[in-house]
Amino acid sequence: MAANFKTTLDELETAFEASTAYELDLVTGSTGKLYAQIILGAPYDVFLAADQVRPERLVTDGEAVAGSQFTYALGRLVLLGAESASDLNAPETRSVAIANPDLAPYGKAAKQVLDRLNLEDQVAPKLVLGENVGQAFAFVTTRNAQLGFVSEAQVRAFETSSDLRMWRPSPDLYDPIAQDVVLLQRAAENSAALAFIDFLKSEMAREIISRHGYDLP
């Protein structure tokens, strides 16, 4: 499961287990790292990524079931700790956390925002890289970074979210963060995995996902 989706999936897990006889075992990490683990044989059944590319690769390479891939959520990128884009290159801003853009889609989106605002060169010396968007969020909330590009869902889930400043970049500034799920080949006939895939398409699941700060496909 992509790191940005953890709080949402915790609620989905509760709802799924309450309505079925199955239990989930959740593993969280950056999309890139989880993808690499799957390629190396990690015993996962369902892959909830924060992009579309890696699930597609798994299908192409025969690691995932053809036809099982679909978009379960559309992520929203925010700059935590800021009121506007001008805060990025303000003299008092010394550190900006982002997820590793080579591993995490939210990090890639953050780099796109900086590039399209012509701020990449100015902000580059201030960047603090997290392995995933969860770590980028932690950098800001523990004051190890002043600002951070994170998922809006993470901010909503934070206990003191009402006290946090955040700036929402225009969706035109980054490619859509379409988060796809895919059934892995080892679980092609796994009834629990198949049931969870179906559950993600249900109105109950979609309501939970929307309420946590995601757009729906």
Side-chain angles (χ1 to χ4, degrees), residues 191-204:
S191 58
L194 290 166
F196 183 67
I197 288 282
D198 286 341
F199 174 74
L200 282 177
K201 300 175 183 178
S202 70
E203 286 305 313
M204 179 187 295

Side-chain angles (χ1 to χ4, degrees), residues 75-90:
R76 300 176 191 162
L77 183 72
V78 298
L79 180 61
L80 182 58
E83 294 182 346
S84 70
S86 62
D87 289 329
L88 285 162
N89 60 352

Side-chain angles (χ1 to χ4, degrees), residues 3-8 74-81 106 109 133-134 137 141 148-162 164-171 174 177 179 209-215:
N4 69 281
F5 202 64
K6 183 182 186 308
T7 302
T8 310
L74 298 167
R76 300 176 191 162
L77 183 72
V78 298
L79 180 61
L80 182 58
Y106 281 84
V133 73
F137 182 77
T141 55
F149 281 102
V150 300
S151 163
E152 181 173 334
Q154 292 172 298
V155 180
R156 288 196 184 196
F158 197 58
E159 291 180 359
T160 58
S161 60
S162 60
L164 300 178
R165 299 186 305 163
M166 67 176 178
W167 170 66
R168 294 180 177 87
S170 167
Y174 59 94
I177 306 174
Q179 304 193 184
I209 291 169
S210 176
R211 178 159 41 79
H212 278 261
Y214 295 93
D215 291 322

Side-chain angles (χ1 to χ4, degrees), residues 24-169:
L24 299 180
D25 184 11
L26 306 181
V27 178
T28 305
S30 69
T31 291
K33 185 174 182 179
L34 292 173
Y35 170 81
Q37 291 173 350
I38 292 167
I39 293 298
L40 292 174
Y44 303 149
D45 298 318
V46 177
F47 180 36
L48 287 93
D51 68 3
Q52 293 180 308
V53 174
R54 290 175 180 87
E56 287 173 357
R57 287 180 189 166
L58 291 172
V59 172
T60 299
D61 294 342
E63 299 286 346
V65 177
S68 67
Q69 180 181 350
F70 65 91
T71 301
Y72 64 89
L74 298 167
R76 300 176 191 162
L77 183 72
V78 298
L79 180 61
L80 182 58
E83 294 182 346
S84 70
S86 62
D87 289 329
L88 285 162
N89 60 352
E92 62 270 20
T93 299
R94 299 179 303 279
S95 54
V96 180
I98 68 169
N100 187 332
D102 295 328
L103 295 174
Y106 281 84
K108 179 181 177 182
K111 292 282 281 186
Q112 289 174 337
V113 170
L114 295 175
D115 179 59
R116 292 171 188 178
L117 290 175
N118 296 314
L119 291 173
E120 191 164 9
D121 290 341
Q122 298 97 307
V123 178
K126 306 177 183 181
L127 291 182
V128 179
L129 289 186
E131 180 180 292
N132 54 55
V133 73
Q135 192 171 71
F137 182 77
F139 284 153
V140 183
T141 55
T142 58
R143 302 184 185 280
N144 286 300
Q146 292 168 281
L147 310 179
F149 281 102
V150 300
S151 163
E152 181 173 334
Q154 292 172 298
V155 180
R156 288 196 184 196
F158 197 58
E159 291 180 359
T160 58
S161 60
S162 60
D163 300 325
L164 300 178
R165 299 186 305 163
M166 67 176 178
W167 170 66
R168 294 180 177 87

